[in-house]
Structure formats: structure tokens, C-alpha cells
Amino acid sequence: MWKWYAILSAIFAALTAIFAKIGVKNIDSNLATAIRTCVILLITWGIVFASNHISEVKSLSKMNWIFLILSGAATGLSWIFYFKALQLGEASKVAPIDKLSVVFTILLSFLILKEPFSWKVLLGGFLIAGGSLVILMDK
């Protein structure tokens, strides 16, 4: 089932890039990020309330809070830089380069999370890195 969620994530990420490229035209990229963040905030809290998971907030540990806050900060910075890149560059180039995050995630999952090595994951990471490098070399 996780594969279907990952595919849906990729489809919506693609739509994000296209919609954002159109939406960021002639406005400040930070304002665009702020608007996008408000929409995400409303959607995600709506889902939490609709699925009746709000009571689980009380059960979060200090570690949950710390790492969710760090993740949120990293997400916010990622979006700020992504929107600025989209404003200045072509979506067809910015989005694939942004996917270098997959390569960094693979490396960090091995180093920090101690996930096992897999030749398929490593090969996929090298292919993504190679594709991103080809695009980075384009003028």
C-alpha cells in the first residue's frame, strides 16, 4: 500500500511544481510560500479533526515534539528555497534537481537511521543523482 501513497505523492508533487510556477509569477516567493503553508495547515488540521485524532496530541513524547518541530523547520526552509528556485528557474529543471533530496535521504537513512543497504536503492539513488547532475550542467 505504501507504494500507492508514494506514487500519489509524486503526482501531487508534480502538480505542486506546475501550480506553484504559475502562482509565483509576479509576486514574492516568500508570500507564495506563506499562502501555500496556510492552505496546507487548514487541510491537515481538517483531516486530524475529521478523523478524530486530535486527542493523540496529549500522548506525544518530548522526542516526538522535538523531531516534528525540526522536520517542520526543515520543510519550511525547503519550501522557501524551492519557491525561490521556481520563481527564477524553469519548473522542468527545478523539480528534478529538488529530487536530489531523495539521494540525501538515502544517504542519511543509512548513516542516521542505520537502514540496511540495498543495491536497488543505491542504484536508484545513483540514477537520480546522475539525472540531476545532467540538468545542473545545463545552462
Side-chain angles (χ1 to χ4, degrees), residues 56-92:
E56 295 174 27
V57 169
K58 293 181 279 187
S59 66
L60 295 175
S61 70
K62 184 178 179 181
M63 190 73 87
N64 292 135
W65 279 107
I66 290 169
F67 282 96
L68 289 173
I69 290 168
L70 288 172
S71 175
T75 298
L77 290 169
S78 172
W79 290 352
I80 286 168
F81 293 126
Y82 183 71
F83 266 58
K84 191 63 170 179
L86 274 176
Q87 188 173 50
L88 300 172
E90 299 172 24
S92 62

Side-chain angles (χ1 to χ4, degrees), residues 9-116:
S9 174
I11 291 167
F12 283 105
L15 290 172
T16 296
I18 301 305
F19 295 159
K21 179 65 180 175
I22 297 166
V24 80
K25 187 176 181 179
N26 300 324
I27 67 166
D28 178 70
S29 62
N30 293 323
L31 174 60
T33 304
I35 292 168
R36 174 187 181 196
T37 302
C38 289
V39 172
I40 294 165
L41 183 72
L42 292 172
I43 291 171
T44 53
W45 277 111
I47 292 169
V48 168
F49 282 108
S51 60
N52 204 25
H53 289 286
I54 191 65
S55 62
E56 295 174 27
V57 169
K58 293 181 279 187
S59 66
L60 295 175
S61 70
K62 184 178 179 181
M63 190 73 87
N64 292 135
W65 279 107
I66 290 169
F67 282 96
L68 289 173
I69 290 168
L70 288 172
S71 175
T75 298
L77 290 169
S78 172
W79 290 352
I80 286 168
F81 293 126
Y82 183 71
F83 266 58
K84 191 63 170 179
L86 274 176
Q87 188 173 50
L88 300 172
E90 299 172 24
S92 62
K93 294 178 182 175
V94 170
I97 293 168
D98 176 66
K99 296 310 172 216
L100 275 173
S101 63
V102 173
V103 176
F104 297 133
T105 301
I106 290 168
L107 292 172
L108 293 173
S109 71
F110 294 150
L111 295 172
I112 296 172
L113 301 177
K114 307 295 185 210
E115 290 184 356

